[in-house]
Amino acid sequence: MRALVADDSAAVALLTSRALAAIGCEVTTVADGIAAFHQGLSGAFDVALLDMIMPGMLGTEVLAGWAEAGLSLPTIVFSGVDDENLTLRCLELGALDFIHKPFDVRELQLRVRVHLAHTKVS
Amino acid sequence: MTSSTLLPWVIGSAAVAVLLTAVLFVVKVAHHDLTRRAGDRRAHYIGAVGEILARRTIPEGLPVGWSDDPIFHDTLSEFLSIVAGEERRILTELSSRLGLSDRLASRARHLHRSAARAEAVHHLAELASPAHGPLFHQLFGDRSPHVRLGAARGLARLGDLSAVPRLIQALAAERPWIALRMADMLLAFGPSAVPNLTKWLREIALVSLQGNRQTTQVIRVVGLLSDPAAEPVLQELLDSPDPLVRMRAAEALGRCGTPGGVAHLAAAMTDADWRVRAQVASSLGMIRDPSALDVLVTGLHDESWWVRQNSAQAMAELPAGRERLREMADEGTDEIVQIAHYQLALAGRGGS
């Protein structure tokens, strides 16, 4: 399984990439929205973890760009902003799930596992 | 001026320029080196804390220097702000072993530079325990607004409701930007602060009948906390003589109002101020109760363009409202046909 982690915080990127590596994912991390957009378009990933506020492009812009390009990459958005409208917007744009910071690492692992299993089945 | 008198002046100027350039170069190199070292230390701390979290054990003999290094404090605070559960417990244990709380408390009390004190109190807020309550109360009286903000954050993290009245006072006393941040700190208390906030609105705002920044901010916070318990006092504020207060109360009711309160809110569609009516229409759309439909249809004929637009947008939130818009799209006046088409198109795109 290959995972794309996009977050401009080195601490979040490290924590999530270690958490995903622990469940058997091969992780690529990027620190800005533009890199996340281009990496996603490469089609090399099974799941993406996308921060909402990043330099270059916002998480919603990355999701909209992927949707416009016809890419259906299972994506989990995580953000420190607790806003119902933002959550709904992300889901509308094709995100599978939304995780609020602070998050529990085991919950993150579990959600990624569930989504990957669901993607495999479908 | 002869060339013999000019020459020493030229040489002197050149010497000063060379000296200044050399000083600037040294300062730039030193700054670059300091920044690089800080970056290296930060990367080291991120790696170390990440390793501790991955192994789920804290090694014996932690470096003593960590607890005195502001870059470590920054790193730990960042981790604390993103993790919950077991990872947070490990980080709290790590800070406890390093005696970090005491160090930060001491820095917050004694450092001369207000920026350093503010940094310490903000980090301490991440580690806040009830024992820090008195210190946060004390620092809330600090001369620096950023230290006061950090103290407010700590008190909010502790859920110390005795601080709520002081924070409300600060909304009036602080400069606008700081007051806005203080309001956000009130928000951080969560719904447990609602009884104190509504008590203030009832005892002070409703009695004084004067709208001001303090009142409108408290109303905004109450709305964002989305607790239906605030509905009665917000309904009373719809009768305030200040249109700004009425507008904010209507906005807050959109967030925390219940279907049972729609009639009260709908009555404010006859308000003399178009800004209040426009906000009432939006709020009725947020509550999404079908009983608001008739008053929203009336709003489509309001004299204000904003009220007409907001009423149509609110109607698009209701299944029966969309049905009425479809009918109007076929047989209304030119403007209503246009508004109805526009809102239906937005609703069709998932915009409503």
Side-chain angles (χ1 to χ4, degrees), chain B residues 69-226:
Chain B
D69 188 348
I71 296 176
F72 177 74
H73 304 160
D74 263 348
T75 308
L76 190 67
S77 276
E78 187 175 0
F79 272 101
L80 279 165
S81 69
I82 57 177
V83 294
E86 178 63 9
E87 278 71 26
R88 190 173 174 89
R89 191 200 62 72
I90 294 169
L91 294 179
T92 311
E93 169 71 20
L94 173 65
S95 71
S96 162
R97 286 216 210 157
L98 286 166
L100 204 55
S101 295
D102 292 342
R103 302 279 176 123
L104 289 170
S106 170
R107 289 172 73 88
R109 267 200 203 97
H110 302 302
L111 287 179
H112 180 67
R113 271 195 329 121
S114 61
R117 281 203 316 285
E119 208 174 309
V121 74
H122 276 278
H123 294 322
L124 188 62
E126 279 296 336
L127 296 165
S129 74
H132 298 124
L135 175 62
F136 287 132
H137 275 286
Q138 184 196 333
L139 292 171
F140 198 65
D142 193 276
R143 65 179 187 278
S144 157
H146 298 287
V147 173
R148 296 198 290 276
L149 268 175
R153 186 153 166 257
L155 290 163
R157 285 200 80 97
L158 291 177
D160 184 345
L161 293 173
S162 70
V164 171
R166 287 187 76 186
L167 259 79
I168 295 174
Q169 288 309 313
L171 298 179
E174 299 282 1
R175 282 174 296 157
W177 168 243
I178 299 292
L180 205 61
R181 303 274 310 274
M182 285 289 180
D184 289 341
M185 295 306 154
L186 275 172
L187 202 54
F189 277 87
S192 61
V194 169
N196 288 44
L197 294 169
T198 50
K199 182 170 181 271
W200 186 88
L201 285 173
R202 197 173 288 286
E203 291 177 0
I204 309 291
L206 273 172
V207 173
S208 74
L209 294 176
Q210 280 189 344
N212 52 34
R213 192 177 71 203
Q214 193 182 19
T215 306
T216 51
Q217 281 300 330
V218 173
I219 295 172
R220 181 179 77 91
V221 171
V222 165
L224 289 170
L225 288 171
S226 302

Side-chain angles (χ1 to χ4, degrees), chain A:
Chain A
M1 292 293 172
R2 287 153 306 172
L4 173 66
V5 172
D7 199 308
D8 57 325
S9 155
V12 177
L14 178 80
L15 202 66
T16 46
S17 55
R18 276 176 182 258
L20 297 185
I23 57 169
C25 290
E26 188 186 313
V27 185
T28 300
T29 58
V30 291
D32 67 82
I34 296 170
F37 174 67
H38 289 296
Q39 285 281 351
L41 285 185
S42 71
F45 300 98
D46 301 297
V47 67
L49 265 77
L50 200 61
D51 185 28
M52 187 44 55
I53 295 167
M54 289 184 287
M57 282 171 91
L58 297 175
T60 43
E61 290 171 333
V62 175
L63 281 169
W66 285 346
E68 209 168 288
L71 181 78
S72 63
L73 174 61
T75 304
I76 299 172
V77 175
F78 51 172
S79 173
V81 183
D82 190 4
D83 181 340
E84 191 190 335
N85 289 332
L86 183 66
T87 311
L88 291 174
R89 178 82 184 126
C90 289
L91 296 175
E92 268 173 19
L93 288 169
L96 279 186
D97 207 347
F98 200 100
I99 293 179
H100 292 286
K101 294 178 194 169
F103 57 87
D104 188 316
V105 171
R106 275 165 299 181
E107 186 188 334
L108 172 77
Q109 289 173 323
L110 192 65
R111 289 198 195 200
V112 170
R113 272 192 180 140
V114 167
H115 290 307
L116 283 174
H118 186 258
T119 310
K120 256 186 184 175
V121 169
S122 58

